[in-house]
Amino acid sequence: MSPETTPTTTGAPQADDSPIPTSRLRRKDLVGIAELTAEEISLILDTAVAMKEISSRPIKKVPALRGKTVVNLFFEASTRTRTSFEIAEKRLSADTLNIAASTSSVVKGETLADTVHNIEAMSPDLLVVRHSSSGACHFLSRICRAGVINAGDGMHEHPTQALLDAFTIRERKQRIAGLKVAICGDLLHSRVLRSNVLLLTKMGADVWLCGPPTLMPVGFERTGAHMTSSIDEAVEGADAVMMLRIQLERMLGGFFPTLREYFNVFGMTPERVRRAKPDVLVMHPGPMNRGVEISSELADGPSSVILDQVANGVAVRMAILYLLAGGAEHEAAA
Amino acid sequence: MPVVMDADRMARSLARIAHEIVERNRGVDRLALVGVRTRGVPIAVRLAAQLKEITGQDVPVGALDITLYRDDLMHHAVGPQPLVRSTEIPFSIDDRVILLVDDVLYTGRTVRAALDELIDFGRPRAIQLVVIVDRGHRELPIKADYVGKNLPTSHAESVSVRLAETDGCDEVVIEKTSGEDEA
Amino acid sequence: MKRLLKGGHVVDPTQGIDGASDVLLDGDRVVAVGRDLAVDSGVEVIEIPDGLIVCPGFVDMHVHLRDPGQEHKETIASGTAAAAAGGFTAVACMPNTQPVNDSAAVTRSIVERAALLGVVRVYPIGAVSKGMKGESLSEIADLKGAGCVAVSDDGRPVASALLMRRALEYAGMFGIPVIDHCEEPTLKGEGVAHEGFVASMLGLRGIPAAAESIMVERDLALAEMTGTPVHLAHLSTRQSLRAMDAAKSRGLKATCEVTPHHFTLTDERLTGPTSYDTNLKMNPPLRERADVDAVLQGLRAGTVDVIATDHAPHQQDEKAVEFDRAPFGIIGLETAVPLALDRLVHRGVITFRRLVQLMSVNPSRILNLPGGSLRPGRLADVTIIAPSAAIVIDVTRSKSLSRNSPFDGWTLRGAVAATIVGGRTVFVNGEIAGLAALRAAGERG
């Protein structure tokens, strides 16, 4: 695997003479941050800057993906991510189709491969896939002609979320390298965490992970991130603090005794955040459990960039759709 | 590699175009410049300076990246995607006369894309086209309102406008390409 | 009908033979072993080409034949054909069939069908508990009477320590071993891969090493208490091997096996181009480098008694699904000998003589089988090895009904040349030169 970007100046010229600078992801799919280089990540974030402007126009639509068909294939319920992808696709003029697979053929016992082959028979260009099994997008990317964009696979990765988080940090801090980013909450079950750790360490951030040891993935120090169960240590001097959702069913799994005790030990409050830098960014991928991992005061406070994250999600997903749509057929034929 | 326009010649052309703009529009009220990225933008900035010198008035300048409106965007299944850069039009174009600025006018497809994009920003009173070089070979019914130099060329040639801001010097050169028709 | 295997290099640890020797077979028995045996009239002489090694027949004591009940994955006929092609003259088949082999009736049906359809010998292993439910003992005396050579709930651990104690005591009375799949079920949970950095990064639920070693320690303590033999299946962690080593030092009658995939592959294989390959999903899971090193050390030092395959066929459709939904297990009968030669013998981990112990002598001894030796009077079960032949694994040519192997396309040094069961040639490798006489003999039966 040798992913690389080629910001060249010898693109195919259109009408007039000056050569057009070009670049793209040399890949058909975006299955994870693990496969991306720092250059590719920068390309996506730079492209997203241009895409963000489109959302401020009177007519929030450009014809870039006219005639392309994008299928949003969600095997797991999601409002936020699916809506964000759908808006991004529509702003680029793609034809979009939403399939909530949990309500269709899968219930009838059809395999994932059969479901996707049936959709592929209708010639979509890109598949945006959310699935409850880790690795489902890797599996699909191997059997699909269309490009596959991972919109979250099990406990593995959620690459577009990490990219929009990075975009939000870079927009506010003008850089990622050298920043201290603390990520707190249910580390074990979080695909957002895995993508963020991979991305932030690739881009040179100082990453601190905090949660109860019962919710820490084994061996994660090897990523270069610091692991601690002290929220104060994690937050100390941080430039950004990212909270991860505590799923209520984890309490029943015995990972911690009660939500009350969890909030008392790990909940993020204005008092705890005072140890961070004064201009700290408070982030959350959503949906939030107010009063469990984050206090309402903090979520709605001046440091919170939670709604910026949502807005930036559209721009980042537009960038990814645009960059992948151009390369899909080429890579598949190769 | 013949130089068909040097720095001096280019400066005089721009000054002449600025005067033509003022004359034709009877001043610069309700005028705005929008440069097509990349080289249309510094040319628009230079014209704004010229217009200020002539009239004493500021003319707003915007930048347009037409990448997402290109008619060949997804036709290149093989090959890299053009890099998208920001469009910045920090003023309302409604009811203004927009001076669309680019370096070379050739097939007219870039201008078509730029017109489509501009219209998505509002309803200008008029759009006028400014180019440094018109090299002919139009593929669409498009005509420039202000031209620095008409330059008859063949398809086998390419025309490059170089600017101090982007290329380190002001000049227009004409080059033989490898024989392939780039358009 | 007498046949003389002439001019081969014989390795038989039970007789201390490791050198040029002839083997004379009469019907289904070995009648003589020695240098330059006299050739009477009426003896068919089969010249063994230079470089080939003649050994007592290999025995795979851990195989899932899926028959009865899951004949789309494997049958007695296909599984034993794969065994023959893999150099095994006998296999012991696990009881997790449908129905479970927890009664003499099921055992007898397997024995009878194997006599009819089997290419190699089949020795059934009965269930420890009724329905393998881990609740009450199955009728072990009856099972043994019908032909079971051991009892096991393999695929599942015997979770209850009390039931395991009873099983050891009760089976011990009949002199048959209890084979345990060591796994603490609550620690294993919903795990699908070794708990460690790789599974953490892939978002796969982990099976901690301790889930295995806790049960290894428990079983060893119970074996010590009851004074009866226990055999621990497919050990995969360094902690398990350390416990086993300590138990042997204090003189326990405990034995253990490891699989070729656990001495060859690590969990790192789950990343990169083969990431989430369901043919890398097995139980116990592929472990870390340090565990693989401990398995290799156990093979070298003698802690490990047996190499067994845990041959677990599954159809392609069953494996072509999401990783966490795929069944555990891989086929292994036809790759075991090449992997053992390539990874162990040629790399100097063990000698060829020790390989014969691990794959023939020891499994025969543990299960009290008649094979595992070429002494005169013993079964004419012979495996002939071409230790230097280079082969490429091609699953499409497998005799198994299933194709779920992670070794497809691998080039390995070491191959099975021929397999002889009860004096009958049941497999000849077409890619090894000089075996025409053996092939012709096989065709005559």
Side-chain angles (χ1 to χ4, degrees):
Chain A
M1 232 181 267
S2 60
E4 50 185 285
T5 51
T6 47
T8 65
T9 52
T10 55
Q14 177 182 314
D16 299 299
D17 277 0
S18 47
I20 296 143
T22 57
S23 190
R24 74 181 165 91
L25 302 179
R26 288 176 68 108
R27 54 186 67 254
K28 135 182 177 304
D29 315 287
L30 177 66
V31 292
I33 300 294
E35 287 77 18
L36 295 182
T37 61
E39 290 71 29
E40 283 177 301
I41 291 166
S42 294
L43 169 66
I44 293 169
L45 299 182
D46 290 345
T47 307
V49 172
M51 294 297 180
K52 190 169 181 182
E53 180 270 330
I54 293 166
S55 297
S56 66
R57 295 184 188 181
I59 295 175
K60 301 175 182 61
K61 196 178 182 80
V62 295
L65 261 58
R66 209 170 43 182
K68 296 277 170 182
T69 305
V70 183
V71 174
N72 299 315
L73 186 55
F74 279 62
F75 292 90
E76 197 182 73
S78 154
T79 307
R80 185 174 308 243
T81 304
R82 190 188 51 71
T83 309
S84 179
F85 266 109
E86 195 178 344
I87 291 177
E89 291 150 10
K90 287 185 160 42
R91 291 209 171 142
L92 291 172
S93 302
D95 296 315
T96 71
L97 182 69
N98 293 315
I99 299 176
S102 51
T103 61
S104 66
S105 46
V106 176
V107 180
K108 298 171 195 153
E110 192 175 61
T111 66
L112 177 58
D114 282 340
T115 302
V116 169
H117 282 141
N118 274 288
I119 291 165
E120 275 232 301
M122 298 179 258
S123 313
D125 297 286
L126 286 169
L127 299 175
V128 176
V129 180
R130 153 91 40 117
H131 197 286
S132 59
S133 289
S134 301
C137 292
H138 275 84
F139 173 65
L140 291 181
S141 72
R142 290 194 187 117
I143 65 170
C144 287
R145 185 194 51 80
V148 174
I149 299 176
N150 184 355
D153 65 324
M155 305 187 294
H156 175 227
E157 280 222 49
H158 191 353
T160 61
Q161 177 71 41
L163 285 159
L164 76 88
D165 290 339
F167 183 88
T168 306
I169 293 171
R170 206 182 69 160
E171 189 177 50
R172 294 297 190 110
K173 303 284 181 194
Q174 283 73 53
R175 67 191 168 105
I176 292 171
L179 297 182
K180 175 173 178 180
V181 182
I183 307 177
C184 311
D186 179 356
L187 308 172
L188 183 61
H189 301 95
S190 175
R191 53 191 169 216
V192 175
L193 170 86
R194 285 168 178 80
S195 288
N196 259 305
V197 168
L198 287 164
L199 189 153
L200 292 168
T201 50
K202 271 180 195 182
M203 302 306 278
D206 181 25
V207 183
W208 286 70
L209 308 180
C210 178
T214 50
L215 288 172
M216 276 185 187
V218 170
F220 235 59
E221 314 76 47
R222 261 175 68 184
T223 59
H226 304 273
M227 312 275 283
T228 177
S229 285
S230 158
I231 195 116
D232 288 344
E233 189 187 9
V235 170
E236 185 74 47
D239 296 280
V241 174
M242 199 181 289
M243 307 309 298
L244 298 174
R245 176 180 163 75
I246 288 288
Q247 292 177 352
L248 304 184
E249 59 267 27
R250 300 298 171 219
M251 192 177 78
L252 304 174
F255 292 98
F256 52 89
T258 59
L259 292 175
R260 180 178 160 276
E261 177 151 308
Y262 183 86
F263 184 72
N264 288 342
V265 182
F266 292 102
M268 196 59 74
T269 60
E271 295 72 47
R272 287 197 165 128
V273 160
R274 232 164 260 144
R275 288 178 173 269
K277 293 232 175 79
D279 60 348
V280 67
L281 306 178
V282 172
M283 308 176 74
H284 196 300
M288 279 185 283
N289 288 312
R290 291 167 182 263
V292 178
E293 69 263 2
I294 188 165
S295 74
S296 273
E297 223 181 327
L298 196 61
D300 303 330
S303 302
S304 169
V305 293
I306 294 170
L307 294 178
D308 292 34
Q309 289 174 269
V310 178
N312 291 338
V314 174
V316 166
R317 291 181 175 116
M318 285 171 78
I320 292 160
L321 289 161
Y322 168 74
L323 291 167
L324 285 181
E329 289 173 51
H330 171 50
E331 294 292 331
Chain B
M1 186 168 64
V3 175
V4 293
M5 228 173 161
D6 59 12
D8 194 42
R9 181 85 194 271
M10 200 186 284
R12 277 185 281 120
S13 290
L14 281 174
R16 172 175 53 76
I17 288 171
H19 281 284
E20 285 174 22
I21 289 169
V22 175
E23 190 181 332
R24 176 158 165 189
N25 294 289
R26 301 190 181 100
V28 293
D29 292 340
R30 304 299 300 162
L31 238 56
L33 289 150
V34 173
V36 177
R37 286 192 191 275
T38 307
R39 287 177 186 74
V41 179
I43 299 168
V45 170
R46 290 192 200 184
L47 277 173
Q50 295 268 1
L51 293 172
K52 168 117 183 172
E53 209 166 280
I54 298 165
T55 65
Q57 281 176 263
D58 283 316
V59 177
V61 179
L64 200 63
D65 184 86
I66 58 106
T67 309
L68 298 170
Y69 286 75
R70 291 162 59 98
D71 60 8
D72 62 344
L73 191 55
M74 293 297 158
H75 290 225
H76 293 279
V78 178
Q81 287 288 69
L83 206 59
V84 186
R85 285 156 309 172
S86 291
T87 288
E88 293 161 32
I89 302 183
F91 47 83
S92 167
I93 68 167
D94 285 340
D95 215 29
R96 280 188 197 265
V97 172
I98 301 299
L99 293 158
L100 185 65
V101 183
D102 203 357
D103 52 354
V104 179
L105 178 59
Y106 183 21
T107 61
R109 288 176 191 270
T110 299
V111 175
R112 194 284 307 163
L115 290 173
D116 278 356
E117 182 163 15
L118 261 183
I119 298 293
D120 282 352
F121 279 81
R123 187 176 185 283
R125 183 190 296 171
I127 300 174
Q128 298 170 3
L129 179 60
V130 183
V131 297
I132 298 288
V133 172
D134 180 349
R135 58 169 292 194
H137 304 289
R138 212 76 75 241
E139 291 169 5
L140 296 172
I142 280 167
K143 178 175 166 297
D145 298 273
Y146 312 94
V147 179
K149 183 179 175 61
N150 282 298
L151 195 61
T153 58
S154 80
H155 278 304
E157 291 168 321
S158 83
V159 175
S160 296
V161 172
R162 293 178 183 153
L163 298 173
E165 293 90 330
T166 52
D167 314 284
C169 67
D170 283 352
E171 64 182 13
V172 178
V173 297
I174 191 160
E175 290 167 290
K176 282 268 179 225
T177 56
S178 52
E180 270 183 58
D181 188 344
E182 286 194 347
Chain C
M1 174 73 187
K2 285 190 180 181
R3 280 191 182 129
L4 184 69
L5 304 178
K6 188 167 180 55
H9 181 115
V10 173
V11 175
D12 180 1
T14 64
Q15 303 180 76
I17 301 175
D18 188 349
S21 190
D22 302 340
V23 179
L24 183 63
L25 310 177
D26 186 0
D28 69 347
R29 296 283 153 176
V30 178
V31 289
V33 179
R35 294 195 70 138
D36 303 322
L37 291 180
V39 183
D40 302 339
S41 61
V43 173
E44 182 182 10
V45 177
I46 294 169
E47 294 281 349
I48 303 298
D50 274 357
L52 300 196
I53 304 181
V54 176
C55 326
F58 285 5
V59 177
D60 188 347
M61 68 179 289
H62 194 141
V63 169
H64 298 271
L65 287 181
R66 307 292 189 213
D67 187 352
Q70 293 181 301
E71 292 88 350
H72 64 290
K73 298 180 191 232
E74 199 78 283
T75 63
I76 288 173
S78 67
T80 53
F88 295 105
T89 56
V91 295
C93 59
M94 285 295 174
N96 59 340
T97 46
Q98 292 168 2
V100 168
N101 182 14
D102 62 356
S103 70
V106 178
T107 307
R108 270 195 296 271
S109 115
I110 294 171
V111 169
E112 282 162 16
R113 282 161 50 71
L116 205 63
L117 304 165
V119 182
V120 304
R121 299 177 199 277
V122 174
Y123 297 106
I125 295 170
V128 169
S129 63
K130 284 182 190 138
M132 291 177 57
K133 290 193 176 117
E135 289 160 6
S136 56
L137 290 180
S138 50
E139 296 175 324
I140 294 175
D142 232 26
L143 288 170
K144 187 189 177 189
C148 283
V149 294
V151 287
S152 177
D153 277 357
D154 184 72
R156 293 186 195 157
V158 178
S160 153
L162 181 62
L163 184 72
M164 187 65 185
R165 174 196 178 165
R166 300 274 191 255
L168 287 167
E169 289 170 335
Y170 193 78
M173 164 171 69
F174 306 111
I176 66 172
V178 178
I179 301 173
D180 199 20
H181 165 125
C182 294
E183 176 182 283
E184 205 293 311
T186 64
L187 266 184
K188 186 236 175 192
E190 303 284 289
V192 295
H194 171 64
E195 183 177 292
F197 178 69
V198 170
S200 288
M201 290 310 288
L202 293 175
L204 295 175
R205 287 176 205 277
I207 303 174
E212 177 178 302
S213 59
I214 282 175
M215 288 303 237
V216 168
E217 300 270 14
R218 182 203 73 173
D219 285 353
L220 292 171
L222 292 172
E224 188 163 20
M225 182 173 88
T226 59
T228 55
V230 67
H231 177 79
L232 305 182
H234 47 53
L235 295 188
S236 66
T237 74
R238 50 195 189 271
Q239 294 85 353
S240 298
L241 287 153
R242 201 167 59 209
M244 194 69 208
D245 195 42
K248 287 197 165 177
S249 316
R250 31 180 224 275
L252 247 63
K253 285 191 275 183
T255 53
C256 72
E257 73 197 24
V258 299
T259 71
H261 47 277
H262 286 117
F263 67 62
T264 304
L265 302 170
T266 69
D267 61 350
E268 296 284 342
R269 195 93 194 150
L270 282 165
T271 62
T274 52
S275 61
Y276 298 103
D277 183 350
T278 55
N279 287 332
L280 298 167
K281 180 177 176 181
M282 60 284 279
N283 190 15
L286 298 177
R287 304 285 186 184
E288 301 169 10
R289 184 76 250 165
D291 295 308
V292 173
D293 288 343
V295 168
L296 293 171
Q297 176 56 24
L299 284 161
R300 186 186 292 119
T303 312
V304 173
D305 301 279
V306 171
I307 293 170
T309 65
D310 195 7
H311 177 82
H314 293 291
Q315 272 297 293
Q316 223 145 356
D317 290 345
E318 298 167 312
K319 278 285 197 180
V321 296
E322 301 88 318
F323 193 85
D324 53 7
R325 292 179 198 189
F328 290 102
I330 60 168
I331 55 171
L333 283 166
E334 290 158 278
T335 48
V337 166
L339 285 167
L341 287 166
D342 189 283
R343 299 290 148 146
L344 304 179
V345 177
H346 292 314
R347 295 189 183 189
V349 177
I350 58 172
T351 59
F352 192 92
R353 181 194 170 99
R354 170 120 173 91
L355 179 75
V356 175
Q357 266 165 340
L358 289 161
M359 298 190 79
S360 174
V361 179
N362 291 350
S364 302
R365 178 175 48 77
I366 291 164
L367 297 177
N368 304 304
L369 304 182
S373 171
L374 292 176
R375 279 180 196 281
R378 301 294 282 266
L379 290 176
D381 288 2
V382 182
T383 298
I384 304 175
I385 300 293
S388 299
I391 56 147
V392 178
I393 306 289
D394 177 358
V395 290
T396 63
R397 293 171 60 193
S398 172
K399 300 274 196 290
S400 168
L401 292 184
S402 293
R403 301 280 177 263
N404 52 316
S405 170
F407 301 112
D408 189 32
W410 282 41
T411 300
L412 296 169
R413 195 153 70 94
V416 174
T419 310
I420 298 169
V421 178
R424 287 179 51 239
T425 306
V426 295
F427 171 75
V428 177
N429 188 336
E431 289 172 25
I432 310 289
L435 295 173
L438 204 54
R439 184 190 304 279
E443 277 157 13
R444 281 194 305 277

